[in-house]
Amino acid sequence: MNAEPVLEDLDLHRMAKVQFDRAAPYTEVVDGWRGMAQWLFEPERIVEVVLPVRSDDGYVHIYRGYRVLHSTVRGPGKGGIRFHPEAGVEEVKALATWMTWKCTLVDVPFGGAKGGVRCDPHLLSQGEKERLTRRFTAALGDTIGPHTDIPAPDLYTDAQTMAWIYDTYSMMHPGSANLPVVTGKPMALGGLAGRAAATAQGGFYVTQRYLEIAGLPGLGSLDGARIAIQGFGNAGRNAASLFHEAGALIVALSDSKGGIFDASGIDPGQAGRHKDATDSVIGLDGTEQLSPKELLEVDCDILVPAAIELQITANNAERIQAQLIVELANGPTTPRADDILAGRGIRLIPDILANAGGVVVSYFEWAQNIENQQWDDAAVGTQLRQRMHHATEVVVTRRAAMVDAFDSYRDRWQETMPEAPELPVPDLRTAATAVAVQACREAAAQRGVWP
Ligand code: GLU
């Protein structure tokens, strides 16, 4: 018999606010707290556009597009554009906020932004996608630009989409070197070979370093670790190959249609070929079928949500069997699930750290475009590893310091903000958010409030 579902707030922007509020007490913003906190949390600009696009059938369809610039305190906006049926302004606001923390954590000189077009990419032909992308780019006008706000790929957008954005922007800005207006471009247009796999590669480096410095009982490295990955898009598919090559056993995989399980390990190469041929991983020889939700609950050491947000909630966190969760997706876990997982001793490497590899390599691409240079692939890989390892060390160290001083933080917080909810013991998400919010706060304070 199914238990009654637990009701919880699934609004992503309010979820980002809960995460922010939990981190704030550790960030020296208590003096002048309310104004400064609001400045750091509220998005700077929200653009909503209506996009008429002619379909292949000759009719005009209307789509809604959004671009949110969360913060330029540390630099121009940076963040992907997604094409998704659920894309909406609250979601894009949350994703833009997480981009600000992410860029700060890995110390790239950008603020945070995000865009989305509400559409079903599975129902659009290539030509329709191109017209939609070009119309969206034109509608955004000068709210994007190499030094104002720089888009990149996200869910259901890719290097081809970025090429159309670049071309459209360039047609509107003749006579300028426009390559750095967008990252994640094809190689022929100033892209970097490592960009497509960068999100997974970064998550791999973070996991590797985390196991080295913090360890898990009975698991000192990825060799032999049993891993379940939800999502077989760009992040999940590349992650499956990287973890497999490092000696891990991929026990479960899923895409939006369904999942597969094999306790003796799945070959991600075979799963990829099966997906290319049949449009899903379902039905791969020797595997049992399960749903993407069931995948989250399989017996494994490391669970990698690499699909979409709101997957681990108060309704399934009790049943997760992994010891470690590595969030390659943005926003897969709710605050209530965070608390349940922490209470059960399950550790979680948060999205703003685990999936920051994508924006790190985006920064390298942007920098090489600004310089009119071509960076060497090996240098990109080495620098990505160094940045991800360093960010992991910073977050793990910061959490340890926050836990040590927890009682004094809690007492001071209760005195300053008597009406605020009780502070939970800080987890890695709170530590990562605190590192980022504090760095943004310092930058904001040093810049001062203009005029
Ligand atoms: N969309 C990716 C993310 O969520 C990449 C953003 C970028 O490269 O700017 O991190």
Side-chain angles (χ1 to χ4, degrees):
M1 203 180 78
N2 281 339
E4 275 291 296
V6 179
L7 290 179
E8 66 180 318
D9 188 353
L10 297 178
D11 178 278
L12 285 176
H13 193 235
R14 283 196 297 271
M15 190 166 120
K17 181 67 165 55
V18 172
Q19 296 165 351
F20 176 82
D21 287 345
R22 288 177 171 189
Y26 304 94
T27 58
E28 297 167 15
V29 283
V30 175
D31 297 334
W33 160 243
R34 286 169 204 275
M36 177 60 97
Q38 234 176 329
W39 182 19
L40 294 179
F41 185 75
E42 290 291 321
E44 282 178 25
R45 180 170 69 199
I46 300 173
V47 176
E48 178 174 349
V49 288
V50 171
L51 308 169
V53 175
R54 194 171 293 283
S55 301
D56 293 344
D57 61 14
Y59 288 101
V60 173
H61 288 256
I62 295 296
Y63 299 90
R64 262 170 215 282
Y66 308 90
R67 183 78 185 170
V68 173
L69 180 62
H70 171 255
S71 169
T72 54
V73 161
R74 292 184 64 262
K78 186 83 193 82
I81 289 177
R82 58 175 52 184
F83 286 175
H84 199 265
E86 306 286 314
V89 70
E90 294 305 308
E91 176 200 62
V92 175
K93 272 160 68 181
L95 291 160
T97 312
W98 291 324
M99 282 310 304
T100 302
W101 312 148
K102 200 184 293 188
C103 291
T104 311
L105 265 185
V106 288
D107 201 17
V108 294
F110 296 127
K114 200 80 168 199
V117 176
R118 200 177 181 92
C119 65
D120 187 344
H122 296 296
L123 302 180
L124 295 174
S125 70
Q126 193 73 345
E128 288 166 341
K129 269 189 216 164
E130 175 173 353
R131 295 193 286 281
L132 178 57
T133 305
R134 289 185 183 279
R135 184 73 192 211
F136 186 41
T137 310
L140 291 177
D142 282 330
T143 60
I144 61 166
H147 300 283
T148 48
D149 179 2
I150 304 125
D154 199 77
L155 286 183
Y156 298 108
T157 54
D158 56 16
Q160 175 62 74
T161 326
M162 301 306 115
W164 292 326
I165 295 177
Y166 163 69
D167 184 67
T168 309
Y169 184 87
S170 230
M171 291 296 114
M172 294 162 63
H173 297 81
S176 312
N178 294 313
L179 282 178
V181 68
V182 67
T183 60
K185 298 180 294 295
M187 288 293 288
L189 289 171
L192 273 173
R195 176 61 187 87
T199 304
Q201 186 74 61
F204 173 83
Y205 288 140
V206 167
T207 312
Q208 193 186 43
R209 192 76 189 116
Y210 181 77
L211 291 178
E212 278 164 14
I213 57 178
L216 283 182
L219 201 68
S221 78
L222 284 166
D223 195 23
R226 295 167 309 140
I227 303 193
I229 303 177
Q230 187 200 42
F232 205 62
N234 178 42
R237 187 167 173 164
N238 282 305
S241 301
L242 290 164
F243 285 123
H244 176 73
E245 282 159 24
L249 215 57
I250 309 299
V251 294
L253 286 176
S254 71
D255 54 35
S256 58
K257 300 194 176 67
I260 51 175
F261 175 79
D262 183 352
S264 65
I266 298 165
D267 178 341
Q270 268 178 16
R273 286 189 290 279
H274 185 80
K275 165 115 184 154
D276 292 340
T278 67
D279 214 23
S280 174
V281 293
I282 303 173
L284 181 70
D285 274 355
T287 62
E288 274 169 53
Q289 191 174 332
L290 37 67
S291 73
K293 288 275 182 199
E294 286 166 339
L295 177 136
L296 300 168
E297 300 170 20
V298 299
D299 184 15
C300 63
D301 300 308
I302 303 177
L303 172 64
V304 183
I308 51 169
E309 49 266 14
L310 300 173
Q311 296 303 296
I312 305 175
T313 68
N315 285 297
N316 61 4
E318 289 289 358
R319 295 192 298 274
I320 302 261
Q321 300 193 54
Q323 296 185 64
L324 175 68
I325 297 172
V326 180
E327 293 186 326
L328 279 191
N330 287 307
T333 312
T334 64
R336 286 191 57 183
D338 275 339
D339 295 340
I340 296 169
L341 296 169
R344 295 182 57 221
I346 297 173
R347 313 207 219 150
L348 182 147
I349 305 181
D351 45 9
I352 54 173
L353 173 61
N355 72 28
V359 78
V360 169
V361 176
S362 272
Y363 163 58
F364 298 154
E365 180 179 332
W366 178 83
Q368 75 166 16
N369 294 159
I370 295 272
E371 295 166 351
N372 281 308
Q373 294 285 344
Q374 183 70 45
W375 284 29
D376 173 61
D377 288 350
V380 169
T382 311
Q383 291 206 33
L384 173 64
R385 191 181 64 238
Q386 283 168 354
R387 274 181 196 259
M388 299 313 290
H389 280 185
H390 180 69
T392 310
E393 288 152 19
V394 167
V395 171
V396 170
T397 309
R398 180 61 178 262
R399 173 171 183 264
M402 282 161 58
V403 170
D404 282 347
F406 177 57
D407 289 344
S408 65
Y409 278 114
R410 184 182 47 198
D411 294 348
R412 194 163 63 111
W413 184 238
Q414 272 164 3
E415 273 164 37
T416 331
M417 299 284 288
E419 75 282 16
E422 213 180 299
L423 264 192
V425 179
D427 55 11
L428 288 168
R429 186 187 315 282
T430 303
T433 311
V435 170
V437 171
Q438 183 156 348
C440 289
R441 180 228 169 252
E442 276 164 24
Q446 277 156 4
R447 288 178 65 154
V449 181
W450 189 88

